[in-house]
Short mmCIF file of all heavy atoms in Angstrom, two decimals:
data_model
loop_
_atom_site.label_atom_id
_atom_site.label_comp_id
_atom_site.label_asym_id
_atom_site.label_seq_id
_atom_site.Cartn_x
_atom_site.Cartn_y
_atom_site.Cartn_z
N ILE A 79 -187.83 3.77 -121.60
CA ILE A 79 -188.55 4.63 -120.79
C ILE A 79 -187.58 5.52 -119.99
O ILE A 79 -186.81 4.96 -119.14
CB ILE A 79 -189.41 3.90 -119.70
CG1 ILE A 79 -190.36 2.92 -120.41
CG2 ILE A 79 -190.20 4.85 -118.77
CD1 ILE A 79 -191.16 2.00 -119.56
N VAL A 80 -187.50 6.78 -120.33
CA VAL A 80 -186.79 7.78 -119.58
C VAL A 80 -187.75 8.59 -118.71
O VAL A 80 -188.64 9.21 -119.09
CB VAL A 80 -186.02 8.82 -120.56
CG1 VAL A 80 -185.33 9.77 -119.84
CG2 VAL A 80 -185.09 7.99 -121.57
N LEU A 114 -206.39 -1.98 -112.52
CA LEU A 114 -206.89 -3.31 -112.02
C LEU A 114 -208.31 -3.36 -111.32
O LEU A 114 -209.16 -4.13 -111.59
CB LEU A 114 -205.88 -3.97 -111.04
CG LEU A 114 -204.54 -4.36 -111.74
CD1 LEU A 114 -203.51 -4.62 -110.59
CD2 LEU A 114 -204.69 -5.58 -112.58
N GLY A 251 -232.41 13.69 -108.80
CA GLY A 251 -231.01 13.61 -108.86
C GLY A 251 -230.34 13.72 -110.21
O GLY A 251 -231.07 13.92 -111.33
N THR A 301 -189.55 5.83 -136.01
CA THR A 301 -189.79 5.91 -137.50
C THR A 301 -190.24 7.29 -137.94
O THR A 301 -190.27 7.60 -139.03
CB THR A 301 -190.91 4.84 -137.87
OG1 THR A 301 -192.15 5.31 -137.09
CG2 THR A 301 -190.52 3.47 -137.50
N SER A 348 -249.65 -6.29 -119.21
CA SER A 348 -248.26 -6.78 -118.88
C SER A 348 -247.35 -5.62 -118.71
O SER A 348 -247.13 -4.69 -119.60
CB SER A 348 -247.71 -7.61 -120.06
OG SER A 348 -246.38 -7.88 -119.93
N VAL A 368 -224.48 -13.31 -110.26
CA VAL A 368 -223.17 -12.64 -109.90
C VAL A 368 -222.63 -13.45 -108.52
O VAL A 368 -223.44 -13.67 -107.63
CB VAL A 368 -223.44 -11.15 -109.41
CG1 VAL A 368 -222.28 -10.48 -108.54
CG2 VAL A 368 -223.65 -10.40 -110.61
N ARG A 378 -230.33 -11.79 -110.88
CA ARG A 378 -231.44 -10.92 -111.22
C ARG A 378 -231.86 -11.13 -112.60
O ARG A 378 -231.07 -11.41 -113.51
CB ARG A 378 -230.91 -9.47 -110.91
CG ARG A 378 -230.86 -9.01 -109.46
CD ARG A 378 -230.48 -7.48 -109.43
NE ARG A 378 -230.03 -7.20 -108.11
CZ ARG A 378 -229.49 -5.97 -107.72
NH1 ARG A 378 -229.41 -5.04 -108.63
NH2 ARG A 378 -229.14 -5.78 -106.52
N HIS A 433 -211.23 14.18 -136.95
CA HIS A 433 -212.70 14.35 -136.53
C HIS A 433 -213.65 13.93 -137.61
O HIS A 433 -214.61 13.22 -137.34
CB HIS A 433 -212.91 15.75 -136.07
CG HIS A 433 -212.20 16.09 -134.75
ND1 HIS A 433 -210.83 16.41 -134.77
CD2 HIS A 433 -212.73 16.33 -133.44
CE1 HIS A 433 -210.53 16.64 -133.50
NE2 HIS A 433 -211.56 16.66 -132.79
N ASP A 487 -233.89 19.67 -116.47
CA ASP A 487 -233.21 20.47 -115.40
C ASP A 487 -232.15 19.61 -114.65
O ASP A 487 -231.34 20.09 -114.01
CB ASP A 487 -234.32 20.91 -114.27
CG ASP A 487 -235.22 22.05 -114.96
OD1 ASP A 487 -234.78 22.59 -115.90
OD2 ASP A 487 -236.19 22.28 -114.31
N ASN A 500 -239.81 9.53 -132.33
CA ASN A 500 -238.76 9.83 -131.53
C ASN A 500 -237.55 8.95 -131.64
O ASN A 500 -236.58 9.01 -130.87
CB ASN A 500 -239.18 9.99 -130.06
CG ASN A 500 -240.15 11.14 -129.79
OD1 ASN A 500 -239.89 12.27 -130.16
ND2 ASN A 500 -241.31 10.85 -129.16
N ILE A 624 -222.67 44.75 -89.22
CA ILE A 624 -221.91 44.20 -90.38
C ILE A 624 -220.72 44.92 -90.74
O ILE A 624 -219.99 44.53 -91.74
CB ILE A 624 -222.91 43.98 -91.57
CG1 ILE A 624 -223.45 45.33 -92.01
CG2 ILE A 624 -224.05 43.15 -91.32
CD1 ILE A 624 -224.19 45.32 -93.33
N ALA A 684 -227.55 44.92 -107.54
CA ALA A 684 -229.09 45.16 -107.24
C ALA A 684 -229.15 45.93 -106.05
O ALA A 684 -228.45 45.81 -105.03
CB ALA A 684 -229.82 43.83 -107.16
N GLN A 798 -198.27 11.81 -110.55
CA GLN A 798 -198.39 10.70 -111.37
C GLN A 798 -198.86 9.41 -110.67
O GLN A 798 -199.58 8.64 -111.07
CB GLN A 798 -197.09 10.44 -112.08
CG GLN A 798 -196.66 11.50 -113.12
CD GLN A 798 -197.39 11.16 -114.53
OE1 GLN A 798 -198.47 11.59 -114.78
NE2 GLN A 798 -196.76 10.31 -115.36
#
Side-chain angles (χ1 to χ4, degrees):
I79 303 175
V80 177
L114 290 166
T301 60
S348 170
V368 169
R378 286 184 194 172
H433 289 73
D487 289 344
N500 292 314
I624 60 173
Q798 290 279 92

